[in-house]
Amino acid sequence: MVAGVFDSGVGGLTVLKSLVEAKLFEKIIYFGDTARVPYGAKDKNTIIRYSLEALEFFSNFDIDIFIVACNSASAYAIKELREVSTIPVVGVIESGVLALNQIKISKDSSILIIGTKATINSNKYINLLNKHGFYNITSKATGLFVPLVEEGIFGGAILNETLKHYFSDLKKPDIVILGCTHFPLISKEIDNYFGGVKLIHSGEAIVKYLNNNYIKESILFEQTKLEFFASENPAGLKEVANRWLF
Ligand code: DGL
Protein backbone atom coordinates (compact mmCIF):
# COMPACT_ATOMS: atom_id res chain seq x y z
CA MET A 1 0.00 0.00 0.00
CA VAL A 2 1.21 3.48 -0.87
CA ALA A 3 0.14 6.47 1.21
CA GLY A 4 0.13 10.15 0.37
CA VAL A 5 0.64 12.29 3.44
CA PHE A 6 -0.19 15.95 3.32
CA ASP A 7 0.56 18.75 5.75
CA SER A 8 0.72 22.52 5.60
CA GLY A 9 4.48 22.27 6.07
CA VAL A 10 7.03 20.28 7.99
CA GLY A 11 4.90 19.56 11.09
CA GLY A 12 3.25 16.53 9.50
CA LEU A 13 6.61 14.79 9.71
CA THR A 14 5.61 13.90 13.28
CA VAL A 15 2.70 11.92 11.82
CA LEU A 16 4.95 10.49 9.12
CA LYS A 17 7.35 9.29 11.83
CA SER A 18 4.55 7.34 13.54
CA LEU A 19 3.51 5.83 10.18
CA VAL A 20 7.08 4.77 9.40
CA GLU A 21 7.57 3.30 12.88
CA ALA A 22 4.33 1.33 12.50
CA LYS A 23 5.69 -0.14 9.23
CA LEU A 24 2.24 0.00 7.62
CA PHE A 25 3.19 1.21 4.16
CA GLU A 26 5.51 0.06 1.44
CA LYS A 27 5.92 3.65 0.36
CA ILE A 28 4.87 7.08 1.65
CA ILE A 29 4.90 10.23 -0.41
CA TYR A 30 4.92 13.36 1.72
CA PHE A 31 3.83 16.77 0.52
CA GLY A 32 4.29 19.87 2.66
CA ASP A 33 2.73 23.11 1.48
CA THR A 34 5.70 25.06 2.79
CA ALA A 35 5.02 28.03 0.51
CA ARG A 36 1.71 28.69 2.24
CA VAL A 37 2.24 27.51 5.83
CA PRO A 38 0.74 28.30 8.34
CA TYR A 39 -2.79 27.09 7.65
CA GLY A 40 -3.79 27.55 11.28
CA ALA A 41 -4.25 31.29 10.91
CA LYS A 42 -6.21 31.05 7.64
CA ASP A 43 -9.95 30.90 7.09
CA LYS A 44 -12.06 27.88 6.26
CA ASN A 45 -12.41 28.49 2.51
CA THR A 46 -8.70 29.05 2.03
CA ILE A 47 -7.85 25.88 3.95
CA ILE A 48 -10.34 23.91 1.85
CA ARG A 49 -8.93 25.32 -1.39
CA TYR A 50 -5.33 24.57 -0.40
CA SER A 51 -6.26 21.04 0.70
CA LEU A 52 -8.01 20.32 -2.60
CA GLU A 53 -4.92 21.56 -4.42
CA ALA A 54 -2.79 19.20 -2.36
CA LEU A 55 -5.04 16.30 -3.35
CA GLU A 56 -4.66 17.43 -6.96
CA PHE A 57 -0.87 17.29 -6.52
CA PHE A 58 -1.15 13.65 -5.49
CA SER A 59 -3.05 12.81 -8.68
CA ASN A 60 0.43 12.63 -10.24
CA PHE A 61 1.13 9.55 -8.13
CA ASP A 62 -0.43 6.17 -7.67
CA ILE A 63 -1.45 6.36 -4.02
CA ASP A 64 -3.96 4.10 -2.24
CA ILE A 65 -4.85 6.41 0.63
CA PHE A 66 -4.66 10.16 1.28
CA ILE A 67 -3.69 11.02 4.85
CA VAL A 68 -4.28 14.56 6.02
CA ALA A 69 -1.69 14.97 8.76
CA CYS A 70 -2.56 18.62 9.32
CA ASN A 71 -5.12 19.22 12.06
CA SER A 72 -6.20 22.56 10.57
CA ALA A 73 -6.91 20.92 7.20
CA SER A 74 -8.56 17.96 8.97
CA ALA A 75 -10.78 20.46 10.79
CA TYR A 76 -12.21 21.99 7.63
CA ALA A 77 -11.49 20.06 4.46
CA ILE A 78 -12.21 16.34 4.98
CA LYS A 79 -15.77 16.47 3.64
CA GLU A 80 -14.74 18.39 0.51
CA LEU A 81 -11.75 16.13 -0.08
CA ARG A 82 -13.89 12.99 0.24
CA GLU A 83 -16.41 14.41 -2.23
CA VAL A 84 -13.83 14.53 -5.01
CA SER A 85 -11.36 11.80 -4.05
CA THR A 86 -11.47 8.34 -5.60
CA ILE A 87 -9.36 6.91 -2.76
CA PRO A 88 -9.96 6.96 1.02
CA VAL A 89 -9.22 10.26 2.76
CA VAL A 90 -8.26 10.05 6.42
CA GLY A 91 -7.80 12.99 8.76
CA VAL A 92 -6.25 13.22 12.18
CA ILE A 93 -9.19 14.59 14.16
CA GLU A 94 -11.58 11.69 13.76
CA SER A 95 -8.77 9.26 14.51
CA GLY A 96 -7.63 11.30 17.54
CA VAL A 97 -11.10 11.21 19.06
CA LEU A 98 -11.51 7.51 18.35
CA ALA A 99 -8.13 6.79 19.93
CA LEU A 100 -9.25 8.64 23.03
CA ASN A 101 -12.54 6.79 23.04
CA GLN A 102 -10.67 3.47 22.94
CA ILE A 103 -8.74 4.10 26.13
CA LYS A 104 -10.78 3.21 29.14
CA ILE A 105 -11.52 6.54 30.74
CA SER A 106 -14.67 7.89 32.25
CA LYS A 107 -16.85 10.22 30.23
CA ASP A 108 -16.42 12.99 32.78
CA SER A 109 -12.61 13.03 32.38
CA SER A 110 -11.37 16.56 31.88
CA ILE A 111 -10.01 16.99 28.39
CA LEU A 112 -7.91 19.87 27.14
CA ILE A 113 -7.67 20.32 23.37
CA ILE A 114 -4.86 22.49 22.07
CA GLY A 115 -4.34 23.44 18.46
CA THR A 116 -4.17 26.30 16.01
CA LYS A 117 -6.86 29.00 15.83
CA ALA A 118 -8.39 27.28 12.79
CA THR A 119 -8.62 23.91 14.52
CA ILE A 120 -9.99 25.29 17.77
CA ASN A 121 -12.48 27.67 16.09
CA SER A 122 -13.82 24.83 13.94
CA ASN A 123 -15.07 23.06 17.13
CA LYS A 124 -14.44 19.81 15.29
CA TYR A 125 -12.80 18.06 18.23
CA ILE A 126 -15.41 19.27 20.73
CA ASN A 127 -18.33 18.22 18.54
CA LEU A 128 -16.91 14.76 17.96
CA LEU A 129 -16.00 14.32 21.63
CA ASN A 130 -19.54 15.34 22.61
CA LYS A 131 -20.91 12.71 20.24
CA HIS A 132 -18.86 10.11 22.10
CA GLY A 133 -20.27 11.31 25.42
CA PHE A 134 -17.37 13.45 26.69
CA TYR A 135 -18.48 16.81 28.01
CA ASN A 136 -15.81 18.09 30.40
CA ILE A 137 -13.81 19.79 27.67
CA THR A 138 -11.71 22.93 27.43
CA SER A 139 -10.14 24.02 24.17
CA LYS A 140 -7.43 26.55 23.66
CA ALA A 141 -5.71 27.96 20.60
CA THR A 142 -1.99 27.81 21.35
CA GLY A 143 -0.60 28.95 18.02
CA LEU A 144 2.67 30.34 19.41
CA PHE A 145 3.93 26.80 19.92
CA VAL A 146 4.06 26.39 16.13
CA PRO A 147 6.76 29.00 15.36
CA LEU A 148 8.69 27.96 18.47
CA VAL A 149 8.92 24.40 17.22
CA GLU A 150 9.72 25.66 13.71
CA GLU A 151 12.57 27.61 15.31
CA GLY A 152 13.84 24.43 16.94
CA ILE A 153 12.88 25.66 20.42
CA PHE A 154 11.86 22.52 22.30
CA GLY A 155 12.61 23.69 25.82
CA GLY A 156 14.04 26.53 27.90
CA ALA A 157 12.82 29.90 29.08
CA ILE A 158 10.81 31.02 26.04
CA LEU A 159 8.87 27.77 25.87
CA ASN A 160 8.31 27.80 29.64
CA GLU A 161 6.90 31.32 29.48
CA THR A 162 4.64 30.33 26.59
CA LEU A 163 3.38 27.31 28.52
CA LYS A 164 2.59 29.60 31.45
CA HIS A 165 0.97 32.16 29.16
CA TYR A 166 -1.48 29.61 27.81
CA PHE A 167 -2.01 27.28 30.72
CA SER A 168 -1.64 29.24 33.97
CA ASP A 169 -5.40 29.84 34.26
CA LEU A 170 -6.26 26.15 33.69
CA LYS A 171 -6.76 23.34 36.15
CA LYS A 172 -4.69 20.22 35.48
CA PRO A 173 -6.63 18.18 32.90
CA ASP A 174 -6.75 14.38 32.80
CA ILE A 175 -6.05 14.31 29.08
CA VAL A 176 -4.45 16.70 26.62
CA ILE A 177 -5.21 16.30 22.93
CA LEU A 178 -2.21 17.51 20.95
CA GLY A 179 -4.36 18.90 18.13
CA CYS A 180 -1.55 20.18 15.99
CA THR A 181 1.20 18.47 14.06
CA HIS A 182 3.94 20.40 15.85
CA PHE A 183 2.96 19.67 19.43
CA PRO A 184 4.32 16.11 19.75
CA LEU A 185 7.75 17.72 19.57
CA ILE A 186 7.09 19.51 22.86
CA SER A 187 4.92 16.81 24.41
CA LYS A 188 7.38 16.14 27.24
CA GLU A 189 7.35 19.80 28.20
CA ILE A 190 3.56 19.92 28.12
CA ASP A 191 3.40 16.76 30.21
CA ASN A 192 5.93 18.18 32.70
CA TYR A 193 4.08 21.47 32.92
CA PHE A 194 0.92 19.72 34.08
CA GLY A 195 2.83 17.21 36.20
CA GLY A 196 1.85 14.12 34.21
CA VAL A 197 -1.19 13.89 31.93
CA LYS A 198 -2.38 11.45 29.31
CA LEU A 199 -1.47 12.85 25.89
CA ILE A 200 -3.23 12.06 22.61
CA HIS A 201 -0.84 12.33 19.65
CA SER A 202 -2.21 12.55 16.09
CA GLY A 203 0.44 10.20 14.68
CA GLU A 204 -0.18 7.42 17.17
CA ALA A 205 -3.93 7.90 16.83
CA ILE A 206 -3.87 7.61 13.06
CA VAL A 207 -1.80 4.43 13.21
CA LYS A 208 -4.48 2.85 15.43
CA TYR A 209 -7.21 4.10 13.12
CA LEU A 210 -5.52 2.78 9.98
CA ASN A 211 -4.87 -0.58 11.62
CA ASN A 212 -8.53 -0.85 12.58
CA ASN A 213 -10.05 0.37 9.34
CA TYR A 214 -7.76 0.12 6.35
CA ILE A 215 -4.85 -2.25 6.81
CA LYS A 216 -6.12 -5.64 5.74
CA GLU A 217 -2.89 -7.64 5.61
CA SER A 218 -0.54 -8.10 8.49
CA ILE A 219 2.58 -7.41 6.42
CA LEU A 220 5.07 -5.13 8.12
CA PHE A 221 7.29 -3.07 5.86
CA GLU A 222 10.68 -2.93 7.56
CA GLN A 223 11.82 -0.18 5.22
CA THR A 224 9.18 2.28 4.08
CA LYS A 225 10.32 4.06 0.92
CA LEU A 226 9.94 7.79 1.39
CA GLU A 227 9.60 10.61 -1.10
CA PHE A 228 9.38 14.24 -0.09
CA PHE A 229 7.85 17.16 -1.94
CA ALA A 230 7.24 20.74 -0.90
CA SER A 231 5.65 23.74 -2.57
CA GLU A 232 8.71 25.77 -1.59
CA ASN A 233 12.24 24.87 -0.58
CA PRO A 234 12.01 21.05 -0.81
CA ALA A 235 15.65 20.80 0.26
CA GLY A 236 14.71 22.53 3.53
CA LEU A 237 11.89 20.04 4.12
CA LYS A 238 14.24 17.11 3.48
CA GLU A 239 16.75 18.58 5.88
CA VAL A 240 14.11 18.85 8.63
CA ALA A 241 12.94 15.31 7.81
CA ASN A 242 16.47 14.00 8.29
CA ARG A 243 16.74 15.83 11.60
CA TRP A 244 13.36 14.81 13.00
CA LEU A 245 12.89 11.37 11.58
CA PHE A 246 16.18 9.57 11.63
N1 DGL B 1 -0.05 21.62 10.47
C1 DGL B 1 -0.80 22.58 11.24
C2 DGL B 1 -1.81 21.86 12.14
O1 DGL B 1 -1.65 20.72 12.49
C3 DGL B 1 0.10 23.47 12.08
C4 DGL B 1 0.87 24.47 11.28
C5 DGL B 1 -0.04 25.41 10.52
O2 DGL B 1 -0.66 26.30 11.14
O3 DGL B 1 -0.12 25.25 9.32
O4 DGL B 1 -2.80 22.45 12.50
Side-chain angles (χ1 to χ4, degrees):
M1 222 176 163
V2 180
V5 175
F6 153 59
D7 181 49
S8 55
V10 298
L13 293 170
T14 57
V15 173
L16 180 73
K17 187 170 170 44
S18 300
L19 294 172
V20 170
E21 282 169 1
K23 306 182 170 91
L24 301 183
F25 297 103
E26 185 185 350
K27 182 171 168 180
I28 302 177
I29 301 166
Y30 183 96
F31 172 67
D33 194 3
T34 45
R36 305 191 290 197
V37 69
Y39 282 15
K42 300 205 165 61
D43 71 11
K44 178 180 173 180
N45 289 339
T46 305
I47 294 173
I48 292 173
R49 179 159 52 89
Y50 288 176
S51 302
L52 290 170
E53 287 170 12
L55 179 65
E56 177 69 28
F57 169 81
F58 278 102
S59 65
N60 299 309
F61 305 91
D62 198 12
I63 59 168
D64 303 296
I65 189 163
F66 183 57
I67 297 174
V68 181
C70 177
N71 276 265
S72 305
S74 298
Y76 285 121
I78 296 297
K79 186 170 133 285
E80 286 74 7
L81 288 166
R82 284 185 179 151
E83 275 165 12
V84 297
S85 178
T86 52
I87 54 168
V89 174
V90 181
V92 280
I93 296 188
E94 205 181 342
S95 51
V97 171
L98 289 176
L100 187 140
N101 202 38
Q102 276 177 5
I103 50 179
K104 295 282 162 249
I105 47 159
S106 75
K107 296 290 178 190
D108 66 352
S109 303
S110 58
I111 301 169
L112 171 65
I113 308 159
I114 53 175
T116 64
K117 264 200 189 102
T119 299
I120 298 305
N121 290 345
S122 76
N123 284 328
K124 202 62 191 268
Y125 272 110
I126 292 205
N127 292 341
L128 270 176
L129 286 165
N130 285 159
K131 270 195 194 153
H132 286 280
F134 297 99
Y135 56 86
N136 191 359
I137 306 165
T138 306
S139 63
K140 191 142 206 168
T142 57
L144 276 178
F145 290 142
V146 174
L148 289 183
V149 168
E150 292 273 335
E151 255 329 280
I153 297 173
F154 305 118
I158 299 176
L159 181 61
N160 286 339
E161 281 309 310
T162 313
L163 288 162
K164 270 193 232 153
H165 169 73
Y166 286 131
F167 299 148
S168 60
D169 60 338
L170 301 180
K171 282 204 202 115
K172 177 182 172 178
D174 299 316
I175 291 156
V176 178
I177 297 185
L178 303 173
C180 174
T181 47
H182 288 58
F183 299 172
L185 290 149
I186 51 165
S187 59
K188 248 194 232 131
E189 288 67 28
I190 293 171
D191 188 43
N192 285 345
Y193 180 89
F194 286 115
V197 283
K198 172 85 195 143
L199 298 168
I200 300 290
H201 172 321
S202 296
E204 289 160 12
I206 208 148
V207 165
K208 262 193 207 159
Y209 186 78
L210 292 169
N211 268 323
N212 290 342
N213 296 286
Y214 291 100
I215 309 293
K216 304 275 177 268
E217 301 148 82
S218 53
I219 306 168
L220 289 181
F221 295 96
E222 291 306 326
Q223 286 258 292
T224 305
K225 287 185 213 110
L226 296 173
E227 278 183 37
F228 295 97
F229 296 90
S231 51
E232 183 181 274
N233 189 12
L237 179 103
K238 279 181 203 156
E239 198 265 313
V240 178
N242 280 331
R243 197 149 32 94
W244 281 5
L245 291 177
F246 312 110

Coordinates of all heavy atoms in Angstrom, one line a residue, residues 51 63-64 66 80 130 152 169 174 180 193 230 242:
S51 N -6.2 22.5 0.5 CA -6.3 21.0 0.7 C -6.6 20.3 -0.6 O -6.1 19.3 -1.0 CB -7.2 20.7 1.8 OG -6.9 21.3 3.0
I63 N -1.3 6.6 -5.5 CA -1.4 6.4 -4.0 C -2.8 5.6 -3.7 O -3.7 5.8 -4.4 CB -1.3 7.7 -3.2 CG1 -2.4 8.7 -3.5 CG2 0.1 8.2 -3.3 CD1 -2.5 9.9 -2.5
D64 N -2.8 4.9 -2.6 CA -4.0 4.1 -2.2 C -4.8 4.8 -1.2 O -6.0 4.5 -1.0 CB -3.5 2.7 -1.7 CG -2.7 2.0 -2.7 OD1 -3.3 1.7 -3.8 OD2 -1.5 1.7 -2.4
F66 N -5.1 8.8 1.1 CA -4.7 10.2 1.3 C -4.8 10.5 2.8 O -5.9 10.5 3.3 CB -5.5 11.1 0.4 CG -5.1 12.5 0.4 CD1 -3.8 12.9 0.1 CD2 -6.0 13.5 0.8 CE1 -3.5 14.3 0.1 CE2 -5.7 14.9 0.8 CZ -4.4 15.2 0.4
E80 N -15.0 17.9 1.9 CA -14.7 18.4 0.5 C -13.7 17.5 -0.2 O -13.9 17.2 -1.4 CB -14.2 19.8 0.5 CG -15.3 20.9 0.8 CD -15.7 21.0 2.3 OE1 -15.1 20.3 3.1 OE2 -16.6 21.7 2.6
N130 N -18.2 15.3 22.1 CA -19.5 15.3 22.6 C -20.3 14.1 22.1 O -21.0 13.5 22.9 CB -20.3 16.6 22.2 CG -19.8 17.8 23.0 OD1 -20.0 19.0 22.5 ND2 -19.2 17.7 24.1
G152 N 13.0 25.4 16.3 CA 13.8 24.4 16.9 C 13.9 24.7 18.4 O 14.8 24.2 19.1
D169 N -4.0 29.7 33.7 CA -5.4 29.8 34.3 C -6.2 28.5 34.2 O -7.4 28.5 34.5 CB -6.2 30.9 33.5 CG -6.3 30.6 32.0 OD1 -5.5 29.8 31.5 OD2 -7.2 31.2 31.4
D174 N -7.1 15.8 32.8 CA -6.7 14.4 32.8 C -6.1 14.0 31.5 O -5.2 13.2 31.5 CB -8.0 13.5 32.9 CG -8.7 13.7 34.2 OD1 -8.1 13.8 35.3 OD2 -10.0 13.9 34.2
C180 N -2.4 19.5 17.0 CA -1.5 20.2 16.0 C -0.3 19.3 15.7 O 0.3 18.8 16.7 CB -1.1 21.5 16.5 SG 0.0 22.4 15.5
Y193 N 4.7 20.3 32.4 CA 4.1 21.5 32.9 C 2.9 21.1 33.8 O 2.7 21.6 34.9 CB 3.6 22.4 31.8 CG 2.9 23.6 32.3 CD1 3.7 24.8 32.5 CD2 1.6 23.6 32.5 CE1 3.0 25.9 33.1 CE2 0.9 24.7 33.1 CZ 1.7 25.9 33.3 OH 1.1 27.0 33.9
A230 N 7.7 19.5 -1.6 CA 7.2 20.7 -0.9 C 6.9 21.8 -1.9 O 7.5 21.8 -3.0 CB 8.3 21.2 0.0
N242 N 15.3 14.8 7.8 CA 16.5 14.0 8.3 C 16.7 14.2 9.8 O 17.1 13.3 10.5 CB 17.7 14.4 7.5 CG 17.7 13.7 6.2 OD1 17.2 12.6 6.0 ND2 18.3 14.4 5.1

